[in-house]
């Protein structure tokens, strides 16, 4: 895992997510797998904020992003009604994949951190493809 990036760090994209009842277990604590959903939402909005719709990318270029690997470290629980800030920060970009660090924060406390590898694949064959150049430039 990487060094934590506190909310407000200039290189990280930040996205707010409220914890709803459906996100929690019987004890009112966020179910561990839901952090992956929070990370996915933040990645989608990060791409959208850079001007890239994943659906448009799929339709126009014939490629899409898929999760190739995840590793999540859980540090503190999030609870019902918490307002989280989920960050996205690119660690490394290669021709057909990129690695990012994602973190979930609540009121300045790091709750969970994920190392995520995203692959770019051909929609029809699911074989690796180069990341479209206009997106790759934004990853640098």
């Amino acid at each position: 895992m990487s060094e934590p990036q506190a909310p407000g760090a200039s290189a990280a994209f930040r996205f707010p997510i409220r914890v709803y009842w459906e996100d929690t277990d019987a004890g009112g604590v966020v179910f561990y797998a839901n952090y992956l959903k929070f990370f996915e939402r933040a990645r989608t909005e990060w791409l959208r904020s850079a001007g890239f719709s994943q659906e448009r990318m799929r339709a126009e270029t014939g490629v899409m992003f898929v999760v190739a690997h995840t590793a999540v470290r859980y540090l503190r629980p999030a609870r019902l009604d918490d307002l989280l800030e989920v960050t996205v920060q690119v660690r490394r970009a290669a021709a057909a994949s990129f690695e990012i660090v994602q973190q979930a924060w609540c009121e300045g406390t790091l709750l969970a951190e994920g190392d995520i590898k995203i692959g770019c694949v051909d929609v029809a064959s699911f074989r690796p493809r180069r990341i479209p150049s206009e997106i790759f430039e934004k990853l640098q």
Side-chain angles (χ1 to χ4, degrees), residues 96-117:
S97 66
F98 58 98
E99 297 172 12
I100 57 176
V101 175
Q102 291 197 256
Q103 298 175 326
W105 294 83
C106 185
E107 297 180 357
T109 300
L110 180 61
L111 306 179
E113 178 177 50
D115 287 323
I116 317 288
K117 183 174 183 178

Side-chain angles (χ1 to χ4, degrees), residues 13-78:
F13 171 82
R14 293 169 295 285
F15 184 70
I17 294 177
R18 177 73 64 187
V19 175
Y20 296 115
W21 185 261
E22 66 192 29
D23 301 320
T24 64
D25 61 17
V29 172
V30 169
F31 181 66
Y32 74 95
N34 286 335
Y35 286 96
L36 293 172
K37 291 180 181 181
F38 299 160
F39 291 166
E40 178 73 30
R41 290 178 202 161
R43 282 194 310 275
T44 297
E45 294 305 323
W46 164 65
L47 285 169
R48 191 182 319 276
S49 75
F52 303 109
S53 158
Q54 291 188 77
E55 177 57 23
R56 192 172 70 242
M57 181 178 74
R58 185 193 62 77
E60 293 176 4
T61 66
V63 300
M64 65 183 189
F65 291 134
V66 296
V67 174
H69 175 80
T70 63
V72 181
R73 184 170 61 123
Y74 303 96
L75 302 163
R76 301 271 186 274

